[in-house]
Amino acid sequence: MATVNLSDYKPLHITNAEDFSIGIVFSEWNDFVTYNLRDAALEILEKEGVKAENIKQFSVPGAFELNYASMQLCKERKFDAVIAIGCVIRGETPHFDFVCDAVAQGIKDCNILTDTPTIFCVLTDDTKEQSIARSGGDLGNKGVEAAVTALSMINFKRNLSNKTGNIGFGNSENK
């Protein structure tokens, strides 16, 4: 189990983020967590220069429905990346295991069956306290990490398409 904040944000200095188009699908189930994850992702995307009008948000009832919604957004080919946000907290039955496995596989399918990077931002915690700690509490906010990952994957894909071999950001020494 993580015991440190893994979500420390360091600006990426992306030079063309205003052109990025991002779809965010978030679950209404456990909204006390998912709204925090969504809001943190939005904050980072906007800090990095993604225009608010280029970020589209879609809510679904629960984590299981993230698969369908994410795949539909990927198939539309309107988005440079999709971020799937959810939270599943272990209960007293195996339902947790089935949902977590299905969601992970569904998001994986979006990544291998479409050309749109789909980011897995689904907390799968044993307790409500663990979810709170990872959605703006002591252990950071996984929404921050999801936004950074989405931006990184868009940049990767664009550089790959341009065949530059450059996967860095801005004017960094990675070029």
mmCIF file of all heavy atoms in Angstrom, residues 2 11-12 14 29 38 56 62 96 123 132 138 158 161 166 175:
data_model
loop_
_atom_site.group_PDB
_atom_site.id
_atom_site.type_symbol
_atom_site.label_atom_id
_atom_site.label_comp_id
_atom_site.label_asym_id
_atom_site.label_seq_id
_atom_site.Cartn_x
_atom_site.Cartn_y
_atom_site.Cartn_z
ATOM 1 N N ALA A 2 0.509 2.218 -0.807
ATOM 2 C CA ALA A 2 1.250 3.472 -0.883
ATOM 3 C C ALA A 2 1.167 4.210 0.448
ATOM 4 O O ALA A 2 0.126 4.253 1.077
ATOM 5 C CB ALA A 2 0.702 4.347 -1.994
ATOM 6 N N PRO A 11 5.054 20.659 -13.719
ATOM 7 C CA PRO A 11 4.581 21.111 -15.034
ATOM 8 C C PRO A 11 5.315 20.412 -16.174
ATOM 9 O O PRO A 11 6.510 20.167 -16.113
ATOM 10 C CB PRO A 11 4.880 22.608 -15.022
ATOM 11 C CG PRO A 11 4.886 22.971 -13.576
ATOM 12 C CD PRO A 11 5.457 21.772 -12.860
ATOM 13 N N LEU A 12 4.564 20.089 -17.230
ATOM 14 C CA LEU A 12 5.116 19.371 -18.375
ATOM 15 C C LEU A 12 5.639 20.309 -19.459
ATOM 16 O O LEU A 12 6.428 19.899 -20.298
ATOM 17 C CB LEU A 12 4.040 18.464 -18.981
ATOM 18 C CG LEU A 12 3.483 17.386 -18.060
ATOM 19 C CD1 LEU A 12 2.338 16.650 -18.742
ATOM 20 C CD2 LEU A 12 4.568 16.419 -17.649
ATOM 21 N N ILE A 14 4.074 21.635 -22.127
ATOM 22 C CA ILE A 14 3.663 21.193 -23.448
ATOM 23 C C ILE A 14 3.423 22.423 -24.308
ATOM 24 O O ILE A 14 2.735 23.350 -23.896
ATOM 25 C CB ILE A 14 2.388 20.335 -23.361
ATOM 26 C CG1 ILE A 14 2.665 19.109 -22.511
ATOM 27 C CG2 ILE A 14 1.905 19.943 -24.754
ATOM 28 C CD1 ILE A 14 1.436 18.288 -22.221
ATOM 29 N N TRP A 29 -21.204 6.693 -9.204
ATOM 30 C CA TRP A 29 -21.108 5.858 -8.003
ATOM 31 C C TRP A 29 -19.862 6.272 -7.239
ATOM 32 O O TRP A 29 -18.805 6.471 -7.826
ATOM 33 C CB TRP A 29 -21.033 4.388 -8.400
ATOM 34 C CG TRP A 29 -21.212 3.465 -7.248
ATOM 35 C CD1 TRP A 29 -20.229 2.810 -6.562
ATOM 36 C CD2 TRP A 29 -22.447 3.085 -6.628
ATOM 37 N NE1 TRP A 29 -20.760 2.052 -5.564
ATOM 38 C CE2 TRP A 29 -22.145 2.198 -5.586
ATOM 39 C CE3 TRP A 29 -23.787 3.419 -6.869
ATOM 40 C CZ2 TRP A 29 -23.112 1.641 -4.773
ATOM 41 C CZ3 TRP A 29 -24.747 2.849 -6.060
ATOM 42 C CH2 TRP A 29 -24.412 1.977 -5.031
ATOM 43 N N ARG A 38 -12.036 13.826 -10.935
ATOM 44 C CA ARG A 38 -12.372 14.584 -12.148
ATOM 45 C C ARG A 38 -11.893 16.026 -12.037
ATOM 46 O O ARG A 38 -11.261 16.559 -12.955
ATOM 47 C CB ARG A 38 -13.886 14.556 -12.370
ATOM 48 C CG ARG A 38 -14.347 15.341 -13.589
ATOM 49 C CD ARG A 38 -15.791 15.751 -13.499
ATOM 50 N NE ARG A 38 -16.017 16.582 -12.309
ATOM 51 C CZ ARG A 38 -17.208 16.811 -11.776
ATOM 52 N NH1 ARG A 38 -18.287 16.262 -12.282
ATOM 53 N NH2 ARG A 38 -17.332 17.591 -10.724
ATOM 54 N N LYS A 56 -14.388 17.501 -22.862
ATOM 55 C CA LYS A 56 -15.807 17.120 -22.768
ATOM 56 C C LYS A 56 -15.958 16.099 -21.645
ATOM 57 O O LYS A 56 -15.195 15.143 -21.550
ATOM 58 C CB LYS A 56 -16.309 16.512 -24.080
ATOM 59 C CG LYS A 56 -16.123 17.415 -25.282
ATOM 60 C CD LYS A 56 -16.883 18.716 -25.158
ATOM 61 C CE LYS A 56 -16.703 19.552 -26.421
ATOM 62 N NZ LYS A 56 -16.851 20.948 -26.201
ATOM 63 N N GLY A 62 -22.033 3.897 -12.985
ATOM 64 C CA GLY A 62 -21.058 3.217 -12.142
ATOM 65 C C GLY A 62 -19.780 2.912 -12.897
ATOM 66 O O GLY A 62 -19.649 3.216 -14.089
ATOM 67 N N PHE A 96 -16.870 -6.913 -5.976
ATOM 68 C CA PHE A 96 -15.705 -6.032 -6.129
ATOM 69 C C PHE A 96 -14.734 -6.602 -7.155
ATOM 70 O O PHE A 96 -14.286 -5.909 -8.072
ATOM 71 C CB PHE A 96 -15.015 -5.862 -4.768
ATOM 72 C CG PHE A 96 -13.698 -5.153 -4.806
ATOM 73 C CD1 PHE A 96 -13.628 -3.775 -4.697
ATOM 74 C CD2 PHE A 96 -12.505 -5.859 -4.915
ATOM 75 C CE1 PHE A 96 -12.413 -3.108 -4.712
ATOM 76 C CE2 PHE A 96 -11.281 -5.209 -4.929
ATOM 77 C CZ PHE A 96 -11.237 -3.827 -4.832
ATOM 78 N N LEU A 123 -10.034 3.965 -8.943
ATOM 79 C CA LEU A 123 -9.525 3.516 -7.653
ATOM 80 C C LEU A 123 -10.186 2.192 -7.302
ATOM 81 O O LEU A 123 -11.400 2.038 -7.455
ATOM 82 C CB LEU A 123 -9.817 4.550 -6.568
ATOM 83 C CG LEU A 123 -9.202 5.934 -6.758
ATOM 84 C CD1 LEU A 123 -9.478 6.805 -5.531
ATOM 85 C CD2 LEU A 123 -7.726 5.866 -7.049
ATOM 86 N N ILE A 132 -10.500 8.014 -0.199
ATOM 87 C CA ILE A 132 -10.412 9.445 0.132
ATOM 88 C C ILE A 132 -8.950 9.899 0.133
ATOM 89 O O ILE A 132 -8.623 10.973 -0.387
ATOM 90 C CB ILE A 132 -11.102 9.729 1.488
ATOM 91 C CG1 ILE A 132 -12.622 9.534 1.326
ATOM 92 C CG2 ILE A 132 -10.764 11.121 1.996
ATOM 93 C CD1 ILE A 132 -13.395 9.516 2.634
ATOM 94 N N ASP A 138 -4.228 12.461 1.970
ATOM 95 C CA ASP A 138 -2.807 12.352 2.306
ATOM 96 C C ASP A 138 -1.947 11.736 1.208
ATOM 97 O O ASP A 138 -0.740 11.981 1.156
ATOM 98 C CB ASP A 138 -2.627 11.512 3.578
ATOM 99 C CG ASP A 138 -3.217 12.176 4.801
ATOM 100 O OD1 ASP A 138 -3.488 13.393 4.751
ATOM 101 O OD2 ASP A 138 -3.411 11.472 5.813
ATOM 102 N N ARG A 158 1.428 11.867 -31.029
ATOM 103 C CA ARG A 158 1.692 12.886 -32.047
ATOM 104 C C ARG A 158 3.131 12.827 -32.535
ATOM 105 O O ARG A 158 3.389 12.963 -33.730
ATOM 106 C CB ARG A 158 1.339 14.272 -31.513
ATOM 107 C CG ARG A 158 -0.164 14.454 -31.408
ATOM 108 C CD ARG A 158 -0.554 15.857 -31.075
ATOM 109 N NE ARG A 158 -2.015 15.951 -31.088
ATOM 110 C CZ ARG A 158 -2.663 17.089 -31.094
ATOM 111 N NH1 ARG A 158 -2.016 18.224 -31.075
ATOM 112 N NH2 ARG A 158 -3.987 17.086 -31.106
ATOM 113 N N SER A 161 3.452 9.818 -34.747
ATOM 114 C CA SER A 161 2.848 10.098 -36.056
ATOM 115 C C SER A 161 3.747 10.990 -36.904
ATOM 116 O O SER A 161 3.812 10.845 -38.122
ATOM 117 C CB SER A 161 1.489 10.781 -35.885
ATOM 118 O OG SER A 161 0.591 9.910 -35.247
ATOM 119 N N ASN A 166 10.895 11.991 -31.004
ATOM 120 C CA ASN A 166 11.013 12.858 -29.845
ATOM 121 C C ASN A 166 9.794 12.666 -28.957
ATOM 122 O O ASN A 166 8.687 12.932 -29.387
ATOM 123 C CB ASN A 166 11.102 14.305 -30.344
ATOM 124 C CG ASN A 166 10.995 15.307 -29.231
ATOM 125 O OD1 ASN A 166 11.062 14.945 -28.058
ATOM 126 N ND2 ASN A 166 10.819 16.558 -29.581
ATOM 127 N N LYS A 175 14.477 16.341 -26.411
ATOM 128 C CA LYS A 175 14.306 16.461 -27.868
ATOM 129 C C LYS A 175 15.541 16.006 -28.589
ATOM 130 O O LYS A 175 16.616 16.085 -28.174
ATOM 131 C CB LYS A 175 13.970 17.890 -28.253
ATOM 132 C CG LYS A 175 12.552 18.220 -27.883
ATOM 133 C CD LYS A 175 12.176 19.521 -28.523
ATOM 134 C CE LYS A 175 10.694 19.712 -28.337
ATOM 135 N NZ LYS A 175 10.162 20.760 -29.109
#
